[in-house]
Amino acid sequence: MMKKEEQQNQPRRNNPYFGFFLGILLIMFLNGLVFPRLLEQQIVNTDYGTFISLVDGGKIKQVKIEENRIYFSALNEESKEVTYQTGAINDSELVDRLLKAESPNENGKIVFTKTIPRESSPILNFLLMWVLPGFLFYIFWRQISKMMQTRMSDGGNVMSFGKSGAKIYAESEVKTTFADVAGQEEGKEALAEIVDFLHNPEKYTSIGASLPKGALLVGPPGTGKTLIARAVAGEAKVPFFSISGSEFVQMFVGMGAAKVRDLFKQATEKAPCIIFIDEIDAIGKKRDNAFGGGNDEREQTLNQLLTEMDGFDGRKGVVILAATNRPEILDKALFRPGRFDRRIQMELPDLEGRKAILEVHLKKVKHEKVNLDIVARATAGTSGAELANIVNEAALKAVRMGRNKITTNDLEECVEVVIAGAQKKGKVISEKEKKIIAYHEIGHAMVAAKQTNSAPVHKITIVPRTSGALGYTMQVDSGEQNLMSKEEMLNRIATLTGGRAAEEIICETVTTGASNDIEQATKIARAMVTRYGMSEKYDMMGLETTNNAYLGGDSSLTCSADTAAEVDSEVLQIIKNAHSKAARLITENIEKMHQTAGFLLEKETITGDEFMEILNK
């Protein structure tokens, strides 16, 4: 955190008003509740008749008459002096009675007095009733305001009007460099020029070139967009302003625009520097007429951002980096030259990229010699953040097993934990169900092994997982695969239907265990028809669009209802053909199915090599 924030937080911890305020409250509490209760416990309540009886009986020593009460001390039956109180009654004969009565005192007379009411000073009344409550309320409100400012998002709250709320890191505080970013070589190469410009601006300004004002980092979550932005600041050794797009959104109209102005004002004062706006889609959505013709708070904030990006001089060295997972919803004005000049794709890492990322994170932990190729091939489609999590989970597993170094097996097991969840060792499965599960998984493996252009089987297990899977078959490609042919996709669908086919042929039943297989097979078959043009009937006609490609890809059909029904028929035919193929392969290798299933039931988990060894005997 920045030093400025630490200085702002220091008065809160050592606030003299806060201690004074607590002291006043403590004294008021003691005077109002505690002390009166202690005194009341030493005084005995009684009635006026008892008081008169004690006066006539000569047992009272002292009497104090107040406006509403009478306090008196008298001897009880044990001859001990006790203080009593009773309510005052308009008794005109009380004074004569007290003068005539006898008393245990030495002179035989009762000592009695009456309290003289004393009027308070008008000035004192004014101070106590008006000034003191107002002062206490002021101290209380001031303390509550400071607490609200401290707790609500680093100053970006209702009490900090117009402040940007950006976290500011000095050049000495940013330790991240390009060496800490792996698997994104293209992104680093695109940003290296910005770093060089910040280091040597004369080399570019001498021929009239100006620094790109902004670069937009686009990609799926976990690909290192924030990390590479910090690395640019670390390489250039300049201050780093970091703020989220959602922090510009305020409950008061105009506050978002004020925050933008304040952010650029601070950045200009500290130039050269880097501004990083994370999740810029929170304020950068396309402008439309849905919210009153562009007068809503978000659009005002976006307009101010566009104005500020046009207004500052790029030669001063202020660079704006922004990150988003949804570039398709951003306003087109942001991409105009002179604003975000560059768009840098931060894609999921390839095989070599995953190896490099694993190497970076393995430097932080103790490990034996790790086969990075096996782990990298088993983690196809994972992001850098997920790979970092896998390494950390492997370190935790090694500690649980009583070892001080990570092994390849630890990493492989943690890959399975990320994919299918941890093992449910306490789950009880009957022998009948275990047999069905074993044949189901061997069915997948058998169909995969008997097809060409299919990924090799890496592991088969019937150990239940926390994700709900009762078993799974893992296939790992021998290399990086960027394209899939129609034959490969049909083989993949056949492999997915192999589990259900084994249940039908060998166990003579069908179970709910194929639910995930059905979902995946249907998704692939539908994509073949609607998106990839792999249907003879529809040729290369696009029937579906994909939104939010970096966030899972929501699909929607772009065809008539009649065409959609025909698409369903095409998808059904593809799945039926694959199901028939899987059933044929299992029937042809029924003996090998029994052998491998028996071995799996005995071991519960077998490798792909063990499976292929039995299959090739």
Side-chain angles (χ1 to χ4, degrees):
M1 296 296 292
M2 60 182 180
K3 297 179 180 178
K4 183 177 179 182
E5 289 184 349
E6 293 178 356
Q7 294 174 356
Q8 291 175 347
N9 290 338
Q10 189 68 23
R12 182 180 68 85
R13 292 192 293 267
N14 302 318
N15 193 339
Y17 292 110
F18 186 63
F20 175 76
F21 177 64
L22 288 180
I24 291 294
L25 287 180
L26 180 61
I27 293 173
M28 293 174 65
F29 175 75
L30 293 175
N31 286 335
L33 296 177
V34 179
F35 293 153
R37 291 291 179 86
L38 293 176
L39 292 175
E40 287 178 0
Q41 292 176 0
Q42 300 174 3
I43 299 175
V44 179
N45 289 318
T46 187
D47 58 274
Y48 192 79
T50 303
F51 167 61
I52 296 299
S53 300
L54 292 173
V55 171
D56 295 339
K59 294 184 179 182
I60 292 183
K61 300 179 68 176
Q62 293 183 357
V63 176
K64 182 179 181 182
I65 303 173
E66 292 189 353
E67 185 175 356
N68 297 319
R69 293 184 183 181
I70 299 175
Y71 295 93
F72 60 94
S73 59
L75 299 178
N76 60 10
E77 296 178 354
E78 299 175 356
S79 299
K80 291 183 180 181
E81 186 174 344
V82 179
T83 301
Y84 298 89
Q85 70 172 0
T86 184
I89 295 178
N90 189 13
D91 186 355
S92 58
E93 299 179 357
L94 177 59
V95 175
D96 293 337
R97 192 186 296 271
L98 293 175
L99 288 172
K100 296 177 181 179
E102 296 182 358
S103 171
N105 293 326
E106 293 181 357
N107 58 1
K109 299 292 183 179
I110 298 176
V111 178
F112 64 94
T113 60
K114 184 173 183 179
T115 303
I116 301 174
R118 183 175 58 186
E119 294 185 359
S120 300
S121 169
I123 297 177
L124 182 61
N125 288 339
F126 175 77
L127 292 175
L128 292 176
M129 296 182 64
W130 297 99
V131 177
L132 181 60
F135 177 72
L136 293 177
F137 180 77
Y138 167 75
I139 296 297
F140 176 75
W141 173 250
R142 184 172 178 177
Q143 191 64 29
I144 292 297
S145 300
K146 288 185 177 181
M147 292 173 62
M148 289 173 63
Q149 290 181 2
T150 303
R151 293 184 180 182
M152 294 179 63
S153 63
D154 298 322
N157 55 74
V158 298
M159 303 307 298
S160 57
F161 300 104
K163 298 295 182 181
S164 68
K167 299 180 181 69
I168 306 174
Y169 301 89
E171 53 271 24
S172 59
E173 295 178 306
V174 183
K175 306 296 183 183
T176 308
T177 63
F178 281 155
D180 300 310
V181 183
Q184 297 292 346
E185 301 307 316
E186 295 78 8
K188 289 194 291 185
E189 184 178 346
L191 293 170
E193 189 175 65
I194 294 177
V195 174
D196 188 43
F197 192 104
L198 293 172
H199 275 305
N200 307 298
E202 297 83 6
K203 184 169 66 174
Y204 297 89
T205 56
S206 61
I207 64 171
S210 60
L211 179 68
K213 288 186 178 180
L216 184 65
L217 307 174
V218 177
T223 49
K225 296 184 290 295
T226 304
L227 180 66
I228 202 170
R230 288 179 62 89
V232 172
E235 289 284 343
K237 293 181 171 53
V238 295
F240 182 69
F241 289 73
S242 177
I243 190 170
S244 172
S246 61
E247 293 185 49
F248 289 110
V249 181
Q250 288 287 298
M251 64 183 293
F252 301 111
V253 176
M255 288 299 101
K259 280 176 173 284
V260 173
R261 288 191 294 270
D262 182 70
L263 174 62
F264 278 85
K265 180 182 177 182
Q266 292 183 62
T268 304
E269 293 172 353
K270 293 183 178 294
C273 65
I274 291 174
I275 299 174
F276 177 63
I277 305 175
D278 198 8
E279 306 297 345
I280 193 173
D281 49 88
I283 59 169
K285 292 181 182 179
K286 295 177 183 177
R287 288 167 290 183
D288 50 36
N289 294 324
F291 297 98
N295 292 323
D296 67 301
E297 172 67 3
R298 181 185 59 79
E299 291 194 7
Q300 288 189 32
T301 305
L302 173 59
N303 291 335
Q304 187 65 45
L305 176 62
L306 296 174
T307 304
E308 293 292 338
M309 292 185 73
D310 280 339
F312 72 89
D313 187 357
R315 289 174 294 183
K316 292 183 179 179
V318 178
V319 182
I320 305 172
L321 300 179
T324 182
N325 308 124
R326 302 188 293 171
E328 68 278 356
I329 71 169
L330 294 180
D331 195 284
K332 298 301 181 184
L334 286 169
F335 300 106
R336 196 207 71 186
R339 288 169 182 160
F340 286 107
D341 304 277
R342 297 185 177 182
R343 174 168 167 165
I344 300 172
Q345 299 291 138
M346 303 285 290
E347 299 292 346
L348 294 172
D350 57 13
L351 180 62
E352 293 303 319
R354 293 195 295 275
K355 290 181 182 179
I357 292 172
L358 288 169
E359 285 180 353
V360 169
H361 293 294
L362 284 172
K363 290 178 183 177
K364 304 174 185 177
V365 296
K366 295 180 180 180
H367 62 279
E368 297 178 358
K369 187 176 181 180
V370 175
N371 191 333
L372 292 178
D373 186 67
I374 293 177
V375 181
R377 285 192 290 109
T379 53
T382 56
S383 65
E386 289 171 327
L387 291 171
N389 186 40
I390 288 172
V391 173
N392 184 63
E393 289 291 337
L396 296 175
K397 181 178 183 296
V399 173
R400 286 196 300 269
M401 301 301 292
R403 290 182 278 103
N404 59 358
K405 288 185 178 181
I406 294 175
T407 64
T408 303
N409 288 334
D410 292 329
L411 289 169
E412 287 189 279
E413 173 63 26
C414 289
V415 170
E416 297 176 36
V417 169
V418 171
I419 294 173
Q423 295 183 4
K424 294 182 69 174
K425 299 178 181 178
K427 189 174 183 65
V428 179
I429 301 176
S430 65
E431 291 299 322
K432 179 182 177 181
E433 288 185 335
K434 186 177 289 188
K435 179 181 177 181
I436 294 174
I437 296 168
Y439 277 107
H440 181 105
E441 298 305 331
I442 292 297
H444 288 308
M446 183 64 69
V447 175
K450 290 300 179 179
Q451 295 182 118
T452 57
N453 297 322
S454 184
V457 176
H458 180 71
K459 188 175 185 179
I460 310 170
T461 181
I462 56 173
V463 178
R465 295 278 173 166
T466 53
S467 64
L470 298 176
Y472 65 89
T473 301
M474 180 186 291
Q475 293 177 259
V476 176
D477 285 303
S478 56
E480 188 73 13
Q481 190 172 13
N482 299 309
L483 296 173
M484 285 190 72
S485 65
K486 180 178 180 180
E487 182 183 2
E488 288 172 334
M489 298 187 79
L490 291 173
N491 288 346
R492 177 60 181 159
I493 297 173
T495 301
L496 289 168
T497 61
R500 170 59 65 84
E503 292 178 4
E504 293 171 337
I505 295 169
I506 299 174
C507 303
E508 297 181 347
T509 186
V510 291
T511 68
T512 58
S515 60
N516 184 253
D517 302 330
I518 294 170
E519 180 182 350
Q520 292 189 51
T522 304
K523 185 176 180 180
I524 295 172
R526 182 172 292 277
M528 290 175 65
V529 176
T530 60
R531 294 170 56 195
Y532 302 135
M534 294 181 180
S535 168
E536 294 181 2
K537 183 172 183 178
Y538 294 105
D539 197 37
M540 294 180 63
M541 180 180 179
L543 302 171
E544 190 177 65
T545 59
T546 302
N547 303 316
N548 298 328
Y550 295 121
L551 296 175
D554 301 328
S555 300
S556 58
L557 288 173
T558 56
C559 58
S560 65
D562 293 338
T563 304
E566 293 176 1
V567 167
D568 291 339
S569 299
E570 287 283 308
V571 172
L572 177 60
Q573 191 59 45
I574 291 173
I575 296 174
K576 276 188 172 183
N577 293 339
H579 191 185
S580 299
K581 180 182 179 181
R584 176 175 55 80
L585 291 173
I586 289 172
T587 303
E588 292 173 355
N589 297 274
I590 195 72
E591 293 299 325
K592 293 295 183 181
M593 286 287 296
H594 293 311
Q595 292 179 28
T596 51
F599 187 66
L600 179 60
L601 283 168
E602 180 183 350
K603 299 291 186 180
E604 290 193 336
T605 300
I606 62 176
T607 65
D609 293 336
E610 291 173 327
F611 170 75
M612 293 305 297
E613 183 181 351
I614 298 173
L615 196 62
N616 295 329
K617 278 185 180 180

